[in-house]
Each structure stands twice: as C-alpha cells, then as structure tokens.
Amino acid sequence: MKAVNEQDIRTSFVNCSKGEAKRLPLPRDLEEQPWDDLDFLGWRDLSAPGRSYIVTERDGELIGVTLRFPSQQRGFLHRSMCSLCLTTHPGSGVSLMTARKTGAAGREGNSVGLYICTDLACSLYVRGRKIAAPGARFKESLTVAEQVERTRSNLDAFLGKLFD
C-alpha cells in the first residue's frame, strides 16, 4: 500500500457521512506505518470501544470503511480464525466486525460482517512481521506472496459486499 495522508483518509470513507469522516480519530503513528508491508491501514478508535477503521486501495482508488464490533471478552480458551489472513487468536483476538452498507441499503440499516483480527494487523501476520501466539499461523504450502494475494482477495470480496 502506498503512504496516505490525513486528507486522503478522511475523503476515502464510503459508509459514513462527510461529517463523521471529518470527526473520526486517525492513527497517532500514521507517519511510522510500514506502508510497504500493508495491504490496508487498520486502526481502532481508542475513544470509542468497539469501533475500528480500514482504509485500502480498491480498483485504483482509496476506500475507507468504518467498522463496529462487540466489546465483550471471550474466554482465553476460545480460539477464532480471522477470515482475511487465516490467523487464529485466543480470547477476543478475532472479532466479528460489521460495516454499514453504502447508499440506500446502509441508510436502512443493512450491514455486512466478517471475522477479522481485532488488532487489524493481518498484513503483518501474513508477512511474518508480527508474531501471533504459538499455533496461530498454520504452516502453509502457499508462498508468502500467494498468502498476501489471498488476504487481499478476501478483503476485496468483503468490500464488494458493501456496494451490493
């Protein structure tokens, strides 16, 4: 992913109003992001538990999505798998994140959801730049490049559902 600035991020959101996009908090470490290793920029809203954001490139343009997830904690023995990067995490390391659809469907309250790493570090897990708990990444026969492509494809499929 190429580096983006605050203005790019704020104008990219497709499932919230311009006013909401203008008010949402941005990551504090925006300049220090490992852009070459990211398929999407993801961050949690520290002031609003249960709210996260993703910004990514899709069909040559920047797309931003607001996400919500339940703030309830699961037991540590419970393990879930991220639908984007296929990393498993104990407890609340994976959450069902929902995004309001765009257009009239979104205004009517329709949304789509996907199980995603709660820390939104999928790109780093796939590339081995961030290590999850032992046993969290299965040994795969796919190359890292193929795993990256699968992660991007999974994200693109999720984003496509926002516009249906």
Side-chain angles (χ1 to χ4, degrees), residues 73-81 88-94 133-135:
Q73 298 290 319
R74 291 185 182 154
F76 187 77
L77 296 178
H78 179 88
R79 296 186 72 83
S80 299
M81 180 182 284
T88 60
H89 295 278
S92 58
V94 172

Side-chain angles (χ1 to χ4, degrees), residues 34-47:
W35 296 107
D36 292 337
D37 291 327
L38 294 181
D39 302 306
F40 62 88
L41 174 63
W43 71 99
R44 291 181 63 177
D45 187 338
L46 300 177
S47 63

Side-chain angles (χ1 to χ4, degrees), residues 25 28 43-53 66-73 92 95-98 118 120:
R28 294 184 181 133
W43 71 99
R44 291 181 63 177
D45 187 338
L46 300 177
S47 63
R51 189 170 291 169
S52 293
Y53 311 96
T66 61
L67 302 164
R68 292 185 179 265
F69 63 96
S71 57
Q72 65 197 36
Q73 298 290 319
S92 58
S95 297
L96 175 61
M97 298 207 184
T98 58
T118 306
L120 299 167

Side-chain angles (χ1 to χ4, degrees), residues 83-151:
S83 298
L84 292 180
C85 66
L86 305 186
T87 301
T88 60
H89 295 278
S92 58
V94 172
S95 297
L96 175 61
M97 298 207 184
T98 58
R100 187 171 62 204
K101 294 182 96 171
T102 62
R107 288 189 293 275
E108 292 173 6
N110 295 328
S111 62
V112 294
L114 190 70
Y115 286 94
I116 304 175
C117 296
T118 306
D119 65 2
L120 299 167
C122 300
S123 301
L124 302 179
Y125 290 126
V126 168
R127 289 170 174 82
R129 302 243 315 154
K130 186 170 184 179
I131 306 301
R137 295 280 309 158
F138 296 106
K139 184 163 177 68
E140 296 191 60
S141 59
L142 298 177
T143 65
V144 171
E146 291 170 326
Q147 292 176 49
V148 166
E149 183 55 37
R150 179 185 61 208
T151 300

